[in-house]
Amino acid sequence: MSMAVYNPFENARAQFDKVAEQLNLDSGTRELLRTPMKEFHFTIPVKMDNGSTKVFQAYRIKHNDALGPAKGGIRFHPHETADTVRALATWMTWKCAVVDIPLGGGKGGVVCNPPDLSQGEQERLCRGYIRRLFSQVGPNIDVPAPDVMSNAQHMLWMLDEYETIAGGHYPGVITGKPVGLGGSLGRTEATGYGVVYTLEALLKAKKLAPEATTASIQGFGNVAEYAARLYTEMGGKVIAVSCWNQAAQKAYTFKKSGGCNIEQLVSIKDSFGSIETEKAKALGYEVLDGDAWLTQEVDILIPAALENQITPAVFGKISKKVSVICEGANGPTTPDCDPLIAEAGISLIPDFLCNAGGVTCSYFEQVQCNMNYFWSKEEVLDKLKFTMNKAFDSVYELSLSQKLNMRDAAYQISIKRVANAVKLRGWVS
Ligand code: GLU
């Protein structure tokens, strides 16, 4: 069988088209919402430490801002393309809409591999990104945040560059800032915790006790780490974690049948989520192939790395025990795999609902910056849980009452909200 090649933007459009049809959406709105509104493709020349200049390809794409300023991360990845950013920007629109926050969808990307860059090179890249894009981002225009391989320090360099050019303080221009410099407590944990809040709600609906479940996770970056921590705190057992190894340029799965000790794994990973194989072996972990996370006999799979991981080609390898998939990553399941997942009776919490905790906390960060008054971590996480639970309940109830899978139900809710906004604004008749 030849391996299908998946394009995330085609996937995002296929998901949208299917639900636009279910909703009988008019052709003007369909055309408008299946295409990003604005795209910026630009280059960033960076002076490297060795004196040479390297030119990086970068993107910022605004999918839709009918509900509010565009919002979404900037991803640093060697395989970034215009189409991955288009897809991610589109998913941000649905993500903000499903949790009902007054923001639109945008995303950025730079083709680069941060572990290969020194701190100084990373700083110049971040500042260069903002210099190129200055007039197109802003608290009321488009607000970036961290994503794959970008972090609070990168956000602060970007903020500082923006404020230096603008000649004033504009904390609302970017979220995911360090705490004490306009960041919100809980933002680091928010995406991973949000994944587990939706999982907890689903397990409750399915009358399953978290303590009686096991999980396998793909990824060990920010999302996976905090999802693993909270799931373990709830009594669940993480059997395996898979992550990219920078030195070997391949992924490995780290397994402990009795349950991984998350703190221990965190202590032997680098800031990009790579776990050191030798140290893991010494701590008693089995080190398996990168895709072994998918074949574990567990109840829950949490893909929390990149897109296009769960496809029909690998679906047959998933254990019959799996009854829940939580999409911590954006776009980890291809549209042609959704019917197989439904047929197998697996409940899938779709990405733009499951991982909406990050952007929800970014919204709280904006609110706190606007007030210049910062909440306690407890207050932030309480509000986060409330918002995630509310969104989950609406999606779950619609999926039951209309006999839809949760992805289609979430799309119906989001598309209706955005379609209503573009109609009221008079963008379509
Ligand atoms: N990058 C995160 C996401 O994909 C967060 C975006 C944000 O906080 O704006 O949802």
Side-chain angles (χ1 to χ4, degrees):
M1 191 173 76
S2 70
M3 292 288 278
V5 176
Y6 294 97
N7 174 322
F9 187 48
E10 281 168 18
N11 293 348
R13 280 186 150 174
Q15 292 165 346
F16 169 77
D17 289 344
K18 179 182 174 200
V19 180
E21 194 61 34
Q22 286 171 3
L23 293 173
N24 206 9
L25 206 65
D26 65 274
S27 61
T29 308
R30 263 188 224 206
E31 211 39 54
L32 186 66
L33 298 186
R34 72 196 301 281
T35 307
M37 292 171 57
K38 269 189 186 180
E39 297 201 356
F40 300 96
H41 298 201
F42 51 102
T43 51
I44 310 171
V46 173
K47 284 202 177 64
M48 306 300 280
D49 291 349
N50 66 7
S52 68
T53 298
K54 198 164 170 185
V55 179
F56 292 88
Q57 177 64 44
Y59 305 95
R60 184 76 193 173
I61 294 180
K62 187 188 276 193
H63 173 258
N64 189 279
D65 66 356
L67 286 171
K71 187 82 194 77
I74 298 175
R75 195 162 85 152
F76 290 157
H77 199 272
H79 301 144
E80 203 61 284
T81 66
D83 271 348
T84 52
V85 184
R86 286 184 182 114
L88 292 159
T90 308
W91 287 322
M92 285 310 302
T93 301
W94 314 132
K95 195 181 297 192
C96 294
V98 83
V99 285
D100 211 7
I101 54 179
L103 295 166
K107 201 83 174 200
V110 181
V111 185
C112 69
N113 192 34
D116 292 343
L117 303 174
S118 70
Q119 286 291 103
E121 290 163 347
Q122 290 179 43
E123 176 175 353
R124 294 191 286 280
L125 181 66
C126 290
R127 291 186 184 277
Y129 189 93
I130 292 298
R131 272 203 300 281
R132 283 286 191 267
L133 210 60
F134 178 73
S135 61
Q136 298 302 331
V137 288
N140 300 316
I141 304 172
D142 183 0
V143 183
D147 201 274
V148 171
M149 287 204 277
S150 58
N151 57 35
Q153 174 65 76
H154 296 130
M155 298 306 112
L156 193 67
W157 285 324
M158 291 188 186
L159 172 82
D160 187 69
E161 189 65 23
Y162 185 91
E163 293 185 336
T164 303
I165 299 170
H169 280 282
Y170 295 86
V173 71
I174 208 151
T175 62
K177 301 183 291 294
V179 171
L181 283 161
S184 173
L185 288 165
R187 177 64 185 83
T188 311
E189 295 88 344
T191 313
Y193 277 18
V195 168
V196 177
Y197 294 153
T198 61
L199 170 63
E200 191 183 13
L202 177 69
L203 292 179
K204 199 166 157 209
K206 288 167 87 75
K207 300 195 171 37
L208 282 172
E211 307 88 281
T213 64
T214 52
S216 178
I217 303 182
Q218 186 191 32
F220 208 47
N222 177 261
V223 180
E225 177 187 327
Y226 286 97
R229 282 178 191 255
L230 189 59
Y231 172 69
T232 309
E233 267 172 44
M234 265 167 39
K237 233 185 237 173
V238 176
I239 300 299
V241 168
S242 161
C243 63
W244 185 252
N245 186 286
Q246 198 56 40
Q249 284 292 296
K250 68 184 285 275
Y252 292 108
T253 299
F254 299 88
K255 178 176 176 181
K256 212 172 228 184
S257 304
C260 301
N261 178 333
I262 304 305
E263 293 302 322
Q264 200 175 55
L265 286 180
V266 170
S267 74
I268 55 166
K269 80 161 188 167
D270 69 15
S271 64
F272 299 104
S274 277
I275 294 172
E276 284 188 49
T277 44
E278 289 314 312
K279 286 190 182 162
K281 276 184 199 159
L283 290 168
Y285 288 85
E286 277 178 71
V287 180
L288 308 169
D289 263 2
D291 53 10
W293 74 279
L294 196 70
T295 57
Q296 299 305 311
E297 226 187 292
V298 290
D299 305 288
I300 302 158
L301 291 179
I302 309 181
L306 295 171
E307 57 278 351
N308 297 339
Q309 300 301 305
I310 303 182
T311 65
V314 300
F315 185 74
K317 298 183 195 164
I318 292 179
S319 160
K320 297 277 174 287
K321 190 171 162 51
V322 171
S323 63
V324 172
I325 298 177
C326 299
E327 295 189 319
N330 292 311
T333 308
T334 55
D336 53 3
C337 206
D338 273 346
L340 305 179
I341 290 169
E343 264 166 43
I346 298 173
S347 306
L348 179 146
I349 311 176
D351 49 5
F352 66 87
L353 168 66
C354 191
N355 69 30
V359 77
T360 302
C361 194
S362 280
Y363 165 60
F364 296 154
E365 183 174 328
Q366 288 180 311
V367 173
Q368 293 169 83
C369 284
N370 286 344
M371 294 189 294
N372 203 11
Y373 176 75
F374 290 82
W375 308 332
S376 68
K377 187 165 176 180
E378 199 186 8
E379 191 170 354
V380 173
L381 294 178
D382 277 355
K383 286 184 164 71
L384 180 66
K385 191 164 187 180
F386 175 82
T387 307
M388 295 299 292
N389 281 345
K390 194 162 155 233
F392 176 85
D393 289 348
S394 316
V395 170
Y396 192 67
E397 276 159 26
L398 187 67
S399 79
L400 291 183
S401 67
Q402 300 299 309
K403 297 196 169 38
L404 298 165
N405 67 36
M406 275 190 269
R407 190 185 313 283
D408 291 353
Y411 263 107
Q412 285 207 2
I413 291 172
S414 292
I415 293 173
K416 276 191 196 162
R417 286 187 178 143
V418 180
N420 186 46
V422 298
K423 194 172 174 55
L424 289 176
R425 283 178 180 275
W427 293 356
V428 291
S429 49

